[in-house]
Amino acid sequence: MKRITVTTLLCASLAATSGAGETRSNPPCAAHDRVIGQLAARFGETRRAIGLAADNTMVEVFASDQTGSWTITVTTPESMTCLIASGEAYQARTDSSRPQGHDT
């Protein structure tokens, strides 16, 4: 519950300073540097994974080993980053197990 409250505060802070007229259906967005700075400063989260989506947006996963908090963001080619999801109990996985039924 604490993580949800803190994430809500971060979202409100980003929305208030982004200059965009956000609606409740849109995720809070701000400049990439600002978002990752806030994730580091407020939650101790660092980037753990990165990937490029089919629509040319960058998807990143940030997490903290100390608190277990995690955040997923999506960044546009113009460097506007939006908070998509966040939670607790982050666990890094290094196994390379394949889904059952796949022989490749």
Side-chain angles (χ1 to χ4, degrees):
M1 187 67 163
K2 180 179 175 186
R3 171 68 179 167
I4 293 170
T5 302
V6 176
T7 301
T8 301
L9 292 174
L10 175 61
C11 292
S13 171
L14 290 173
T17 60
S18 69
E22 303 282 341
T23 64
R24 290 186 188 265
S25 63
N26 293 331
C29 303
H32 186 261
D33 290 344
R34 179 167 172 73
V35 173
I36 62 171
Q38 291 289 323
L39 292 174
R42 293 186 180 207
F43 306 112
E45 294 181 6
T46 58
R47 184 169 47 203
R48 303 307 177 92
I50 187 170
L52 190 59
D55 64 355
N56 209 32
T57 57
M58 179 174 60
V59 179
E60 296 172 283
V61 177
F62 296 85
S64 169
D65 289 330
Q66 288 74 33
T67 65
S69 68
W70 58 267
T71 303
I72 299 173
T73 65
V74 172
T75 303
T76 68
E78 297 79 28
S79 292
M80 185 59 64
T81 299
C82 300
L83 301 175
I84 302 302
S86 64
E88 299 176 349
Y90 176 80
Q91 296 179 12
R93 298 292 304 258
T94 58
D95 62 338
S96 60
S97 61
R98 288 178 268 162
Q100 291 182 342
H102 289 82
D103 295 329
T104 58

